[in-house]
């Protein structure tokens, strides 16, 4: 349970007063994102990797690609799984031990946005139907927390996927046999997640840690390259009206166009 101190109340009041004036505590417009920087190839031993800085939030994602058994009900598709971890150095409140509910939700939201967009064509990751497929595992590690890890981890994972090099296998007498050569993962679209917070009656994009602590509700909307919504996750105790949801949808689509250009730029020419 979160315990609110007098300082928390003063901070929320300050943020609310600024929002009434159409301003934010860090000077951004209500729908403005913080700066996004992406470095790829930061984990040499991974099949693909990326470091993303979203404002002062920093995440590294590594991609591991290996043969695996298919899930029993989808033997004609490969596997994609996304995980998340917060290092204790990322924030004073983070402790060692098993992931808590918020970290589990973080991994699931990032996983769902990529999976439901069908970014990776899993039908092309079959070595032998019902016997062996290629598994793609995206592991996000949070190095520094300053709010909105949903988007920071999503951008890290998608950037790592876009630049990953996949080994090739053929099914032989003893199972999957590694072949020579590498190739990019088969991708069909570029999903972009956009997270917004509701504070009072105000909707803001990409909340920093102070805004995150003060929000009444949040929503993450993921769109594909065609601008279609493919995943949505709501959190927090508060709710959104129909008009507020429409506003969130517009912000998500408009913001995703700019962010997609940044993500697309990491693809090797």
């Amino acid at each position: 349970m979160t315990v609110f101190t007098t300082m928390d109340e003063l901070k929320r009041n300050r943020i609310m007063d600024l929002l009434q004036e159409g301003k934010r505590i860090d000077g951004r417009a209500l729908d403005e994102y913080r700066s996004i920087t992406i470095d790829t190839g930061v984990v040499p031993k991974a099949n693909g990797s990326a470091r993303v800085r979203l404002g002062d939030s920093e995440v590294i994602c590594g991609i591991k690609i290996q043969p695996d058994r298919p899930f029993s009900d989808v033997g004609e598709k490969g596997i994609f799984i996304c995980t998340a971890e917060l290092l204790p150095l990322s924030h004073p409140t983070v402790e060692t031990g098993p992931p808590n509910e918020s970290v589990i939700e973080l991994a699931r939201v990032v996983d769902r946005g990529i999976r439901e967009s069908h970014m990776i064509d899993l039908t092309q990751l079959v070595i032998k139907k019902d016997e062996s497929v290629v598994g793609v595992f995206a592991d996000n590690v949070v190095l520094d927390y300053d709010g909105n890890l949903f988007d920071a981890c999503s951008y890290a994972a998608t950037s790592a996927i876009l630049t990953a090099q996949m080994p090739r296998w053929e099914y032989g007498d003893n199972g999957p046999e590694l072949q020579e050569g590498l190739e990019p993962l088969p991708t069909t679209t570029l999903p972009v997640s956009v997270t917004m917070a509701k504070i009072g009656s105000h909707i803001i994009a990409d909340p920093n840690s102070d805004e995150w602590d003060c929000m009444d509700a949040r929503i993450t909307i993921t769109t594909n390259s065609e601008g279609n919504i493919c995943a949505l996750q709501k959190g927090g105790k508060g709710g959104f009206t129909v008009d507020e949801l429409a506003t969130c949808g517009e912000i998500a689509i408009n913001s995703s166009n700019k962010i997609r250009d940044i993500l697309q730029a990491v693809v090797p020419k």
Side-chain angles (χ1 to χ4, degrees):
M1 181 178 67
T2 301
V3 178
F4 289 98
T5 65
T6 301
M7 186 61 69
D8 294 325
E9 288 298 327
L10 291 173
K11 184 188 299 180
R12 177 180 170 85
N13 292 339
R14 173 60 176 162
I15 289 174
M16 287 289 292
D17 289 343
L18 287 170
L19 289 174
Q20 293 289 350
E21 302 173 12
K23 301 176 183 178
R24 295 174 70 171
I25 196 167
D26 57 8
R28 286 182 287 154
L30 301 192
D31 60 352
E32 183 180 352
Y33 260 68
R34 292 170 290 177
S35 63
I36 302 171
T37 59
I38 303 173
D39 300 307
T40 58
V42 296
V43 184
K45 292 186 178 180
N47 296 107
S49 61
R51 177 192 287 112
V52 166
R53 297 178 180 88
L54 175 57
D56 289 331
S57 287
E58 182 175 354
V59 177
I60 286 181
C61 180
I63 301 291
K64 183 177 182 179
I65 303 174
Q66 63 184 30
D68 212 323
R69 288 282 299 175
F71 295 125
S72 58
D73 56 340
V74 281
E76 75 286 356
K77 291 183 179 181
I79 295 171
F80 173 73
I81 296 176
C82 184
T83 66
E85 177 186 2
L86 272 70
L87 296 183
L89 59 81
S90 66
H91 194 268
T93 61
V94 177
E95 299 179 352
T96 57
N100 58 30
E101 291 183 1
S102 63
V103 178
I104 294 172
E105 182 187 23
L106 170 62
R108 288 179 176 174
V109 171
V110 175
D111 185 291
R112 184 181 301 118
I114 295 173
R115 184 188 304 275
E116 293 302 320
S117 74
H118 304 293
M119 179 185 185
I120 303 174
D121 185 354
L122 298 179
T123 63
Q124 296 190 43
L125 301 184
V126 179
I127 302 173
K128 183 178 180 180
K129 184 181 178 182
D130 297 325
E131 293 289 338
S132 182
V133 297
V134 176
V136 180
F137 303 90
D139 300 321
N140 286 287
V141 178
V142 178
L143 304 179
D144 201 354
Y145 169 74
D146 188 32
N148 193 11
L149 292 180
F150 290 105
D151 293 348
C153 288
S154 179
Y155 304 159
T158 53
S159 297
I161 290 169
L162 288 172
T163 56
Q165 292 293 302
M166 179 177 66
R168 296 173 53 252
W169 291 273
E170 291 185 3
Y171 202 83
D173 295 336
N174 298 315
E177 297 177 352
L178 183 64
Q179 308 295 304
E180 292 186 1
L182 299 170
E183 57 189 25
L185 283 168
T187 57
T188 64
T189 192
L190 181 47
V192 174
S193 75
V194 173
T195 298
M196 293 146 284
K198 180 179 178 181
I199 303 176
S201 59
H202 306 280
I203 306 295
I204 59 173
D206 180 30
N208 63 26
S209 59
D210 287 336
E211 295 166 333
W212 195 275
D213 292 340
C214 295
M215 66 186 179
D216 301 300
R218 58 172 165 79
I219 190 168
T220 299
I221 298 177
T222 302
T223 59
N224 60 20
S225 295
E226 289 70 45
N228 298 319
I229 294 175
C230 51
L232 184 151
Q233 178 81 10
K234 183 264 179 189
K237 295 182 179 179
F240 293 87
T241 67
V242 173
D243 289 341
E244 288 170 342
L245 286 174
T247 298
C248 290
E250 292 175 2
I251 293 173
I253 293 171
N254 293 334
S255 297
S256 67
N257 292 330
K258 302 173 185 177
I259 297 168
R260 190 169 286 109
D261 289 340
I262 298 172
L263 297 175
Q264 191 69 47
V266 308
V267 180
K269 303 300 182 183

